[in-house]
Amino acid sequence: MQAMRSLWPNRSVIALVAGFTLLVAAIGASIWLSARQDRSVATIMHTLEVQNRLGAVLSRLQDAETGQRGYLLTGNPQFLAPYDASIREIPQDFAALEQLLADNPAQGDRLDRLARIASQRQDYLRLAIGRYRLDRQINATELLAGKRTMDQARALI
């Protein structure tokens, strides 16, 4: 019996090794879950940043449209302040979006399409302002074409 006991380690040593093994497994699982959660949070933050920037682009296009409309209705150049600010800030939003979406070609393609639409919308706004400054005339066809580009921007965003 004595010889048998010497072949098997003490039960407390076995329990200690088993407990230590479980502890190491639990720590490893915690580290893995924490890293996975960090990646998920980073993905969510990235998505929210993209959504915020897209919202900013839409808001700036709307502000530009509002400023243009106020000017066309009143002839008062003070109404162009939101237009001027928006036109100045839109390129910064697109630059930030390009960086955010650089790792996703499909989203990059949609961003390029949105940039073209936003540029067209800005062209229509500039054209109407220029025409109004020149001869105080408003071309309804150009305004409707501008509205269509704004609708396309909204749909794409």
Side-chain angles (χ1 to χ4, degrees):
M1 184 81 162
Q2 196 62 277
M4 261 323 241
R5 283 191 175 182
S6 64
L7 291 176
W8 288 93
N10 191 343
R11 283 188 201 173
S12 59
V13 172
I14 291 173
L16 183 63
V17 169
F20 182 72
T21 303
L22 286 174
L23 180 63
V24 168
I27 290 171
S30 294
I31 290 170
W32 179 79
L33 287 172
S34 177
R36 186 173 171 182
Q37 182 179 12
D38 288 347
R39 285 191 305 271
S40 295
V41 167
T43 300
I44 290 168
M45 295 300 292
H46 178 268
T47 299
L48 291 174
E49 178 66 20
V50 169
Q51 288 176 341
N52 286 338
R53 287 292 181 165
L54 287 170
V57 167
L58 181 59
S59 178
R60 292 190 208 295
L61 286 171
Q62 290 170 335
D63 288 348
E65 190 175 62
T66 300
Q68 179 233 33
R69 187 179 306 122
Y71 175 70
L72 295 180
L73 288 172
T74 66
N76 185 339
Q78 290 179 336
F79 280 94
L80 290 176
Y83 165 84
D84 292 332
S86 295
I87 296 300
R88 191 174 47 251
E89 293 167 356
I90 286 173
Q92 297 166 2
D93 291 321
F94 275 105
L97 281 164
E98 283 177 17
Q99 288 180 339
L100 288 167
L101 300 177
D103 63 340
N104 189 324
Q107 287 182 344
D109 291 344
R110 285 192 294 274
L111 180 63
D112 291 343
R113 185 169 169 228
L114 178 61
R116 285 190 304 275
I117 291 169
S119 178
Q120 286 176 341
R121 181 61 185 131
Q122 293 171 69
D123 289 344
Y124 281 120
L125 293 170
R126 265 191 297 276
L127 182 64
I129 291 169
R131 184 179 306 282
Y132 187 81
R133 284 179 176 155
L134 183 65
D135 58 13
R136 298 284 191 225
Q137 296 295 315
I138 298 172
N139 185 321
T141 304
E142 291 169 358
L143 292 178
L144 288 173
K147 181 196 177 311
R148 281 192 294 274
T149 60
M150 189 64 177
D151 291 344
Q152 289 174 349
R154 281 188 188 99
L156 190 55
I157 289 174

